[in-house]
Amino acid sequence: MENKRKILMVCEAFGGGVFAYVSQLCNDMCNHFDVFLAYALRPQTPKDFTTILDKRIHLIEVKNFGGSIFNVKKDIQVINELQKIANSINPELIHLHSSVAGGIGRIAFARSQVPVVYTPHGYAHILMGKGGMKLEMYKWMEYILGKTNCITLTCCKSEDEVAKTLTKRTAYIETGVNLEELSAQLDSIHPIKDKKFTVYTLGRTCVQKQPELFNEIAQLVPEARFVWIGGGELDHLLTAPNLELTGWKPRHEALAMGKGADVFILCSLGEAIAMSLIENMYMGKLILVSNVMGNKSVIQNGKNGYVCDTAKDYADRIKEAIKNYPKEICEQAIKDVRTIYNTHVMTNKYVKFYNNAIAGQYK
């Protein structure tokens, strides 16, 4: 058997969009590398996560991850554990995913002789809103840790632009979805459609996703039906009479509801690249996004969707679509996913990046 180069993935935020990204990446890399995944279980981690991952992936649960980088005693324990894991594996590259693993991992491997890569999956100090001592600490930690011997690999050009303000060694690879799997899922799903023109989004009702803005948009377009699939700590902000909060739904049901909708909105404070955005582009939905990191790299205003700055911008685009649905824009979004935002393209870029990093080409 061919001896493959060893890659150690480290992921504390093993749930939600990060889980979808990391699990897909690990699966895609198995044909090219010997993949080790050091992970921590979270409430959002799927119960059947081992069935989602390729059987060739070596799974290592990190017992001491605690979800924070401000508990010094716990951090030291995690640092020691990560160093022991790396020493036992002897990887040729270490890839840290999200802010907690990225923060602790960059300290643990600051003197590593092998390349260390950090993917933020959206910077915490941007995604969590403005103001507050905690967010300032996150920003300063990113700046300080940006001086370590590490390559910051982001998911799109606009996130890379932020990375360049925090560190000198950066690169980006666009997020992709598995088109074969997604197509098979969509083909087997009958759309759940309403008589009314339907606008929807999905995710946690948290500060990052700006539910208050989504509610304001709904109030400006009373003739349309608005749906938020998901829930969370800010459910109480969704009060518009034409807005329905469904709670969390199984993936097949959420896809059926999305397939039957007319418009997908992503009005976040910031993203890396949201998997839901790419999936809805592929479903041919009219896409409306906020003019922020992540979103503005994917959506080219007026070409494959619309970039919006205010609630009125969103409302005006929805009212226009009710009168005359822009099919050509939706068709362009589908083409972009097929040519750019898919796992075939992403895999090829990752294999090249990893091999170049191991060869020392990102010094």
Side-chain angles (χ1 to χ4, degrees):
M1 283 183 63
E2 178 188 356
N3 289 325
K4 295 178 180 177
R5 289 171 158 174
K6 295 178 181 178
I7 303 286
L8 172 60
M9 306 279 191
V10 183
C11 184
E12 181 275 335
F14 205 45
V18 177
F19 171 84
Y21 186 101
V22 173
S23 59
Q24 183 67 59
L25 177 61
C26 288
N27 287 345
D28 291 339
M29 290 301 106
C30 280
N31 288 329
H32 309 276
F33 301 97
D34 195 7
V35 179
F36 294 76
L37 173 59
Y39 67 95
L41 288 174
R42 276 194 171 193
Q44 304 96 326
T45 306
K47 303 299 182 187
D48 62 343
F49 77 94
T50 57
T51 65
I52 297 170
L53 294 166
D54 192 294
K55 295 186 184 303
R56 291 172 291 177
I57 297 168
H58 309 276
L59 297 175
I60 307 165
E61 184 175 357
V62 182
K63 303 292 185 181
N64 287 300
F65 264 137
S68 174
I69 53 175
F70 301 115
N71 184 332
V72 176
K73 182 180 178 181
K74 197 74 172 175
D75 291 347
I76 292 172
Q77 292 175 335
V78 179
I79 288 169
N80 290 335
E81 188 175 4
L82 289 178
Q83 289 174 340
K84 287 179 181 177
I85 290 170
N87 288 337
S88 68
I89 295 169
N90 291 319
E92 292 179 72
L93 182 139
I94 300 168
H95 193 166
L96 313 169
H97 292 273
S98 212
S99 58
V100 174
I104 297 174
R106 278 180 287 179
I107 296 171
F109 304 120
R111 297 181 180 180
S112 174
Q113 298 302 304
V114 303
V116 178
V117 179
Y118 164 51
T119 296
H121 296 287
Y123 283 103
H125 65 275
I126 294 177
L127 304 188
M128 294 169 66
K130 297 179 180 179
M133 182 63 70
K134 188 175 182 180
L135 297 189
E136 283 300 311
M137 289 179 69
Y138 271 119
K139 183 176 180 179
W140 276 105
M141 288 190 73
E142 288 287 358
Y143 182 76
I144 293 167
L145 293 172
K147 297 182 182 299
T148 60
N149 184 29
C150 179
I151 308 161
T152 298
L153 178 68
T154 59
C155 299
C156 61
K157 185 178 180 181
S158 54
E159 192 182 14
D160 182 66
E161 290 168 356
V162 175
K164 288 183 186 302
T165 68
L166 302 166
T167 186
K168 292 182 179 180
R169 302 169 69 204
T170 74
Y172 69 90
I173 295 174
E174 295 89 349
T175 298
V177 297
N178 187 312
L179 296 187
E180 289 77 18
E181 287 185 7
L182 182 58
S183 294
Q185 288 176 326
L186 291 172
D187 288 345
S188 65
I189 289 172
H190 184 74
I192 298 175
K193 198 163 181 66
D194 194 90
K195 292 180 180 179
K196 275 193 171 184
F197 191 91
T198 300
V199 180
Y200 97 109
T201 192
L202 76 164
R204 268 182 62 207
T205 53
C206 59
V207 171
Q208 179 207 349
K209 299 296 184 181
Q210 298 205 94
E212 192 169 14
L213 175 56
F214 189 79
N215 190 74
E216 186 181 354
I217 299 164
Q219 291 173 328
L220 292 173
V221 195
E223 62 268 36
R225 171 178 173 255
F226 284 72
V227 177
W228 187 300
I229 301 173
E233 60 270 29
L234 299 182
D235 287 357
H236 62 280
L237 296 178
L238 299 174
T239 59
N242 58 328
L243 197 163
E244 175 189 352
L245 175 64
T246 69
W248 292 102
K249 297 289 185 180
R251 177 165 171 77
H252 70 277
E253 188 175 347
L255 283 174
M257 295 174 73
K259 196 173 179 180
D262 302 285
V263 176
F264 175 74
I265 284 182
L266 193 62
C267 55
S268 316
L269 288 170
E271 297 282 351
I273 290 183
M275 301 291 275
S276 59
L277 172 58
I278 307 303
E279 289 179 348
N280 276 276
M281 289 171 67
Y282 189 67
M283 284 194 282
K285 304 295 117 181
L286 174 61
I287 307 293
L288 308 180
V289 299
S290 49
N291 189 14
V292 297
M293 179 187 79
N295 293 344
K296 64 183 180 181
S297 286
V298 180
I299 299 303
Q300 308 303 309
N301 194 42
K303 294 182 179 179
N304 61 357
Y306 291 107
V307 178
C308 303
D309 291 302
T310 66
K312 185 178 182 300
D313 290 342
Y314 290 96
D316 288 346
R317 294 302 183 187
I318 294 166
K319 290 176 181 179
E320 290 171 5
I322 291 173
K323 294 178 182 178
N324 184 24
Y325 198 76
K327 292 182 180 179
E328 67 284 351
I329 287 178
C330 301
E331 288 169 359
Q332 183 60 49
I334 296 171
K335 290 178 183 177
D336 287 346
V337 176
R338 286 175 175 162
T339 56
I340 304 171
Y341 303 105
N342 64 79
T343 52
H344 293 300
V345 175
M346 180 177 163
T347 296
N348 290 336
K349 288 183 177 180
Y350 256 106
V351 171
K352 182 178 180 181
F353 171 81
Y354 281 157
N355 282 325
N356 286 344
I358 291 170
Q361 295 186 21
Y362 290 96
K363 292 182 179 179

